[in-house]
Amino acid sequence: MTSDDGPAPAHQPLTVEDVVAPALVSGRAFFRAPYDAATGRAFAALAVGWIWHLTGGLTLWILVLVSAGVVPALGVGIPLLALSLVAARWFGAVERARIAAQTGVAIPAPPPLGGAPRGFWSRLWAPIRDSRAWAATLYAFLALLLTSVFFAVTTGLAAGSAAAVVFAAIGRGSALAEWTGLSWPATVVGALAAAVVLGWAAATLAQYGSYLMVRLATILLGPSAADVARHRAAVAEHETRLAEAAAHTARERAVVLTESRTAAVSAADTERRRIERDLHDGAQQRLVALGVELGVARRLADKDPEHAVAALELAHREIKETLAELRDLVRGIHPAVLADRGLDAALSALAGRSPVPVRVEVTGDLTPAGSAAQAAAYFVVAEALTNVAKHAGADSVRVQARLVPDEHPQRLRVTVSDDGRGGAELSPGSGLEGLRGRVAALDGTFELDSPPGKGTRLTVEVPCAS
């Protein structure tokens, strides 16, 4: 609906008032009513409607009244009344078409009578039981009264406005000035003011009369109350189906989340076992060897100082290798550079340790991404670079990281692409499968594109709120 500030926004649907009688709902449209196109359509609708109702509508009304009056005369009144009500249906169809053509408002047609009734009397009584035919008959009478009144009033006001203009044009005449008792300038000004007021009133009333005619036709020539109830029931059924579809989607989503959480738990258990194995097979064995070397050095300290020094040097080397291995192990759990300097620096550190040349491209600030999202991205890149070094046979790798602000919630996107042999697959128990479980646990997406002979492209997106 429009307002005094201007037309309605484009996203709001136009109402009947906006189309037929904008002067009633908009201050701007009210001031331009005398020269508005809606006013011309309204005058035409009232004029044509008055002629149509005075001929076809009045004829229909009289025919139905006469038919109903002679119903007691069996054999004549009932067939004539049925025929008259069939004509009422036809009159309503013509009236809806006329209103749509002249005002631009399409009135939906009432539903048909239904299947053809069986038997002569059933077919004869069907039009008489048609509530929409009786409503069309009532409309023929009321519309005749409405269009007659408004057409006569608006025509009179328009004629009065034109007469006032003529009055103003001859207002210089001394006889006219003497008759009004005013000077000729006052006579001209008063006549012009009367012309403007009468013209505005005629335009506004024409729009209002056309609006009333459309509303009356909508009520009496459109669907019945039972039809509206059925329509509402259909809308409710549609909404129910939408709700069921949403519930089905939610159930599927719950299944996906359950599977992703299970995968995350499995991945965490696998990671824990890997840490235990690395500690047992690596650091623990080195510490045992270190204890042995220190014991040898202690026994040889007095008897063979040279061998004791060699044992200490070996023990010192074992300590450095053990520390390096422990640092790698801790980095695999959660790298310190990620917490201290952020994902950008952590990716650069991974690229620096890779035996394959890596180009890191970070677009924008990645700080808004949560710690879980950054950790997931880090381990995806780390595992991808490890796979490239072991299996891809690539000459170069490209790592890209950026935020995707158009998504809601905002997402962190990481892409790792190489020019290797391709053919990578997500096999059960593989490192890539574990990474997919980690990403799925964060409600992220994991895409692997690795056609044979054309390199591998891994794209991961995780919500920043994770």
Side-chain angles (χ1 to χ4, degrees):
M1 186 176 293
T2 59
S3 64
D4 293 348
D5 297 331
H11 64 275
Q12 293 184 355
L14 293 177
T15 62
V16 176
E17 294 88 339
D18 295 324
V19 176
V20 180
L24 303 180
V25 295
S26 170
R28 185 178 299 178
F30 173 78
F31 284 109
R32 66 167 182 261
Y35 53 90
D36 195 342
T39 301
R41 293 193 299 268
F43 270 117
L46 288 175
V48 175
W50 176 68
I51 296 174
W52 167 239
H53 298 148
L54 188 62
T55 55
L58 184 59
T59 301
L60 173 66
W61 178 253
I62 294 174
L63 185 61
V64 172
L65 283 182
V66 172
S67 301
V70 297
V71 163
L74 296 178
V76 179
I78 293 179
L80 185 59
L81 179 60
L83 182 62
S84 301
L85 292 173
V86 171
R89 272 270 186 169
W90 176 82
F91 171 83
V94 174
E95 181 67 1
R96 287 192 301 272
R98 181 191 70 83
I99 290 176
Q102 291 196 288
T103 67
V105 178
I107 300 174
L113 291 177
R118 298 179 180 179
F120 172 76
W121 286 106
S122 297
R123 289 194 298 271
L124 187 64
W125 279 102
I128 299 176
R129 294 194 302 266
D130 183 14
S131 62
R132 292 292 89 189
W134 288 101
T137 304
L138 178 61
Y139 171 83
F141 176 72
L142 296 179
L144 174 61
L145 296 180
L146 187 148
T147 53
S148 297
V149 171
F150 276 91
F151 180 68
V153 173
T154 54
T155 302
L157 290 175
S161 177
V165 173
V166 175
F167 188 84
I170 64 175
R172 291 192 175 194
S174 58
L176 184 59
E178 292 177 0
W179 178 71
T180 58
L182 301 173
S183 61
W184 71 263
T187 302
V188 171
V189 171
L192 290 177
V196 170
V197 172
L198 292 175
W200 236 296
T204 305
L205 282 176
Q207 291 189 20
Y208 183 58
S210 179
Y211 167 73
L212 290 180
M213 181 176 61
V214 171
R215 296 302 298 176
L216 184 64
T218 302
I219 296 172
L220 295 179
L221 301 182
S224 64
D227 300 322
V228 172
R230 283 194 295 269
H231 174 71
R232 290 177 178 175
V235 171
E237 182 180 358
H238 177 68
E239 293 177 349
T240 301
R241 291 178 180 176
L242 291 179
E244 291 177 351
H248 178 69
T249 303
R251 287 193 295 268
E252 292 183 344
R253 179 64 174 164
V255 171
V256 171
L257 290 177
T258 301
E259 292 177 350
S260 65
R261 297 304 186 266
T262 303
V265 172
S266 177
D269 185 65
T270 302
E271 185 71 8
R272 179 182 60 80
R273 294 179 182 274
R274 183 190 66 82
I275 294 172
E276 291 177 352
R277 185 177 61 254
D278 291 346
L279 287 174
H280 180 271
D281 297 341
Q284 181 177 342
Q285 297 300 324
R286 290 185 180 277
L287 289 175
V288 171
L290 176 61
V292 172
E293 293 297 333
L294 289 177
V296 171
R298 185 180 62 183
R299 289 193 300 271
L300 296 176
D302 296 333
K303 299 178 182 180
D304 193 350
E306 293 182 1
H307 284 84
V309 171
L312 288 174
E313 290 179 354
L314 181 59
H316 183 257
R317 188 164 56 250
E318 288 288 341
I319 289 175
K320 291 192 294 183
E321 292 178 358
T322 301
L323 290 176
E325 188 169 332
L326 288 175
R327 280 195 298 269
D328 292 339
L329 183 61
V330 171
R331 188 183 297 115
I333 299 174
H334 189 80
V337 65
L338 183 61
D340 297 339
R341 299 171 55 191
L343 181 60
D344 191 350
L347 295 180
S348 299
L350 287 175
R353 294 196 301 269
S354 173
V356 182
V358 180
R359 182 176 63 180
V360 178
E361 299 176 1
V362 176
T363 304
D365 183 16
L366 303 182
T367 305
S371 59
Q374 294 190 35
Y378 174 86
F379 288 114
V380 165
V381 175
E383 180 69 22
L385 293 181
T386 300
N387 289 341
V388 170
K390 291 182 178 180
H391 311 294
D395 296 326
S396 64
V397 184
R398 184 182 182 186
V399 177
Q400 298 171 290
R402 69 183 183 94
L403 298 181
V404 186
D406 297 336
E407 299 291 335
H408 183 74
Q410 196 176 40
R411 302 174 75 84
L412 171 62
R413 176 183 296 170
V414 175
T415 304
V416 182
S417 54
D418 63 67
D419 56 359
R421 64 175 60 95
E425 296 180 354
L426 287 170
S427 57
S430 64
L432 290 177
E433 183 66 24
L435 288 178
R436 185 170 69 170
R438 180 192 290 266
V439 171
L442 298 177
D443 200 18
T445 59
F446 186 97
E447 296 181 5
L448 179 64
D449 183 19
S450 185
K454 297 184 180 180
T456 300
R457 181 183 180 88
L458 176 63
T459 304
V460 168
E461 286 190 10
V462 289
C464 291
S466 296

